């Protein structure tokens, strides 16, 4: 399998495994969507890590495969491509990308689907599609601009240049830079900590933030208010407040 899902301590690791560079061919894209949907359904998966291995996250699309496609073929395929990445972005649980080595093109776009990105000090990220006479097609023009702002996104997209981990950190493309050997361990630890949290509240928080970014402030506040009130019907809210009153803050244990 080019993509696998392994679960431990409530964390599902979606692992790309298509040596040598984890090129994202059609089969890999489709498998990625299937596993994102599986991670969404499974109760034993409470947080997710996206990982490409110790040497490379994903160096982009399979260019040889794409070269063989004409306009008609890509009209049919482009929606499925975006749907694969959107399935990852819409996992209603915390998702962290553990980025080592190259995360270029589709690889960068996949990392953008996560809620948090931990990069190794050997990481290089970018959207080099312009060098092929193309633009990003798996969400790069949209998610990148929303994350780092339009000017920085246009810099990367217009030039196709790669940025090293420290520059990516400065511009907000990644959230933490660590030694390459520690990337997966830190990503898994971050996810495992959140996996012990209140699942419905985490889902609500993710949806409120993500949906709110797509609309005006008044609609966003309505989304927040609806989720906030709704959580008062959950056992996790009862458990969290009871623990706070009886034991003090930060000691609640959620199922």
């Amino acid at each position: 399998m080019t993509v696998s899902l392994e679960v431990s301590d409530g964390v599902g690791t979606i692992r790309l495994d298509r040596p040598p560079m984890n090129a994202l061919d059609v089969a890999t894209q489709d498998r990625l969507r299937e596993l994102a949907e599986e991670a969404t359904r499974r109760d034993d998966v409470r947080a997710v890590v996206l990982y490409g291995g110790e040497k490379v996250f994903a160096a982009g699309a399979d260019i040889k495969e794409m070269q063989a496609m004409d306009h008609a073929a890509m009209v049919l395929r482009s929606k499925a491509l975006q749907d694969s990445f959107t399935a990852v972005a819409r996992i209603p649980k915390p998702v962290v990308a553990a980025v080592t080595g190259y995360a270029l093109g589709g690889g960068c776009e996949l990392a953008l689907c996560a809620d948090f990105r931990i990069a190794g000090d050997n990481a290089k990220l970018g959207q080099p599609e312009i060098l092929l006479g193309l633009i990003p097609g798996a969400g790069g023009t949209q998610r990148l601009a929303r994350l780092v702002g339009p000017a920085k996104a246009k810099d990367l997209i217009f030039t196709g240049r790669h940025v090293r981990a420290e520059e990516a950190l400065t511009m907000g493309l990644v959230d933490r830079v660590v030694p390459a050997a520690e990337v997966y361990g830190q990503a898994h630890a971050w996810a495992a900590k959140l996996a012990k949290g209140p699942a419905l509240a985490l889902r609500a928080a993710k949806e409120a933030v993500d949906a709110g970014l797509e609309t005006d402030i008044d609609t966003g506040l309505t989304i927040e208010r609806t989720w906030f009130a709704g959580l008062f019907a959950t056992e996790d809210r009862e458990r969290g407040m009871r623990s706070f009153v009886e034991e003090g803050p930060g000691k609640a244990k959620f199922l």
Side-chain angles (χ1 to χ4, degrees), residues 13-56:
T13 297
I14 296 178
R15 167 72 186 269
L16 301 172
D17 189 15
R18 189 171 183 248
M21 301 299 285
N22 289 336
L24 299 166
D25 65 347
V26 166
T28 302
Q29 296 164 22
D30 290 345
R31 182 63 176 159
L32 184 62
R33 185 194 69 249
E34 291 171 2
L35 292 181
E37 292 171 349
E38 180 180 339
T40 294
R41 292 191 305 268
R42 288 178 57 168
D43 291 337
D44 61 334
V45 176
R46 296 173 65 97
V48 173
V49 174
L50 304 175
Y51 185 50
E54 297 177 354
K55 295 182 179 180
V56 62

Side-chain angles (χ1 to χ4, degrees), residues 13 17 28 37-38 51 54-55 90-91 108-109 132 144 162 166 177 181 196 207 216 244:
T13 297
D17 189 15
T28 302
E37 292 171 349
E38 180 180 339
Y51 185 50
E54 297 177 354
K55 295 182 179 180
R90 291 184 178 169
I91 295 172
C108 185
E109 289 170 304
L132 301 174
L144 181 60
H162 304 172
E166 289 299 334
V177 175
K196 297 177 181 178
E207 182 167 323
D216 61 273
F244 181 93

